[in-house]
Amino acid sequence: MLFIETDSPPPFYQDQLTPAKRKQLDQWFIGHRTQRYYLKRFEQFDRQGYLSPKWHWAAFFVTFPWLLYRKRYMDAIVYSVAGWSFIQLNIAIILVMFEFVAMSYIPDAYQMATRIGIAALIWLFWSFMVARWTDAYYYRMARREIADAINDYPRDEAAQKAHLRREGGVSLFGLGLGFGLFAFALMVIKMQFLPIIAKPKANEVLFDAYDTAKTAQNRVALTYRQTGQCPTNLPLNMGTQQVRIDIDTNAAGVAETDCTVIATIQNVKFPIRYLNDQTLVFHHLPGTDNWNCVSSLNKRLAPQGCNAD
């Protein structure tokens, strides 16, 4: 699509056709959907005698479904294999170069956003280039199919019409298939790739929460042994941006206790936002010197030594 000839006249142009006949053939190929738009574009290319960039919004946002919608099935496969591979290769090369050259100058908090931004800019540039040449590409496809129809059926207008309607027009099935594949890709990313990124981040946050809560519990337990009372007003400065520590005489889900240390996870970002407001609770067992730990996390996520609710 990006390597379209800009010959004069355009490729496959049938100069022996009258304007009325050419318009009729274009109508058969385009179909009823968006016919006025494409007839206008085709007329512009015919009049100027060469292909030039125009703007196509559908190709900018959803190139692959648009190709399937317009029955360009083989081109859609080539675009998805070669085009997306080319994008991914460029993203990988540029990210590797940026990692070595400039990433050390970016604060840690912004490094992931920087990587995503670089990948998005490359993808947007590619989408921009595709959108500029999509009308020229579709015009070229129309002229090629029209040339084939005339060569194969030079005197059979009905056969020409059948050929162009078969090769052109639109396919709602293709459109649905395109968006269905997008939905499937997003599901795979969510189910397979996001957990790969999220698991180390979640483990880091949970380790920090448990370590912070355990340290606070040790201080509270020491004060409890010395005073015999739960030090709810004990000043603690060991909480972090992602872990809030509270001391109370009770806690939700704990039946028998007279002193608790509650660690609440907060301010964590995508893709582990599900950890926000989850708690680790160390609670004192009345009449003993023992402390137990329970967590609102499920068994898979709860730290070792801390029972899930």
Side-chain angles (χ1 to χ4, degrees):
M1 190 178 297
L2 300 181
F3 306 101
I4 297 176
E5 305 94 325
T6 56
D7 301 338
S8 181
F12 306 109
Y13 184 79
Q14 304 293 306
D15 55 2
Q16 79 277 12
L17 297 176
T18 65
K21 178 61 175 177
R22 182 175 290 109
K23 181 178 180 180
Q24 179 65 77
L25 294 169
D26 286 341
Q27 289 175 327
W28 290 342
F29 177 80
I30 295 168
H32 297 295
R33 300 278 184 172
T34 330
Q35 185 179 103
R36 181 180 299 178
Y37 170 84
Y38 288 112
L39 286 176
K40 179 181 177 181
R41 283 285 189 256
F42 289 6
E43 184 181 354
Q44 289 174 342
F45 290 136
D46 287 337
R47 187 169 57 250
Q48 68 188 23
Y50 60 90
L51 301 180
S52 60
K54 306 294 181 182
W55 186 257
H56 197 285
W57 281 109
F60 178 75
F61 288 109
V62 285
T63 308
F64 182 69
W66 178 84
L67 286 169
L68 293 177
Y69 179 60
R70 284 290 165 180
K71 297 183 180 179
R72 301 296 95 198
Y73 302 119
M74 187 58 64
D75 292 340
I77 294 174
V78 173
Y79 173 79
S80 63
V81 175
W84 291 348
S85 298
F86 180 75
I87 297 172
Q88 293 163 6
L89 177 62
N90 278 272
I91 290 174
I93 292 173
I94 293 174
L95 283 178
V96 169
M97 293 175 59
F98 193 85
E99 289 285 340
F100 283 100
V101 174
M103 190 60 76
S104 58
Y105 299 102
I106 306 295
D108 292 344
Y110 300 103
Q111 288 187 2
M112 182 56 69
T114 301
R115 296 184 185 100
I116 295 174
I118 291 172
L121 285 175
I122 296 171
W123 193 281
L124 284 173
F125 175 76
W126 174 264
S127 299
F128 174 79
M129 295 300 295
V130 169
R132 290 179 73 237
W133 287 100
T134 293
D135 285 339
Y137 155 81
Y138 194 58
Y139 170 87
R140 188 185 188 281
M141 294 298 102
R143 291 292 168 264
R144 187 188 69 185
E145 296 298 344
I146 288 172
D148 289 345
I150 292 175
N151 290 334
D152 293 344
Y153 315 104
R155 295 181 178 83
D156 191 342
E157 187 173 280
Q160 293 175 4
K161 181 177 181 180
H163 174 91
L164 293 175
R165 286 189 169 179
R166 181 176 65 253
E167 299 297 331
V170 298
S171 170
L172 294 179
F173 172 78
L175 181 65
L177 178 63
F179 282 107
L181 290 174
F182 271 147
F184 176 75
L186 291 175
M187 183 183 69
V188 170
I189 291 172
K190 179 180 179 182
M191 301 299 294
Q192 298 296 326
F193 293 102
L194 275 184
I196 296 175
I197 300 173
K199 187 174 181 180
K201 293 180 177 293
N203 289 341
E204 181 181 347
V205 170
L206 293 174
F207 177 83
D208 180 50
Y210 184 84
D211 184 64
T212 302
K214 185 62 178 176
T215 303
Q217 181 263 319
N218 288 335
R219 287 190 57 186
V220 170
L222 178 61
T223 304
Y224 185 92
R225 284 195 298 269
Q226 292 173 346
T227 64
Q229 295 180 344
C230 185
T232 54
N233 296 323
L234 181 68
L236 291 174
N237 58 0
M238 58 188 61
T240 66
Q241 183 180 2
Q242 294 182 330
V243 182
R244 187 183 75 246
I245 297 295
D246 298 299
I247 305 172
D248 206 338
T249 55
N250 56 71
V254 179
E256 297 184 6
T257 185
D258 56 359
C259 193
T260 61
V261 176
I262 307 170
T264 305
I265 300 173
Q266 59 185 7
N267 299 325
V268 292
K269 308 299 183 182
F270 179 85
I272 55 172
R273 286 190 298 235
Y274 60 87
L275 292 180
N276 281 322
D277 299 323
Q278 298 294 329
T279 59
L280 304 176
V281 180
F282 284 90
H283 61 95
H284 178 252
L285 300 178
T288 72
D289 196 33
N290 297 328
W291 291 72
N292 284 348
C293 178
V294 296
S295 174
S296 61
L297 297 162
N298 58 40
K299 292 181 180 180
R300 183 173 58 86
L301 293 174
Q304 187 175 3
C306 218
N307 298 323
D309 284 350

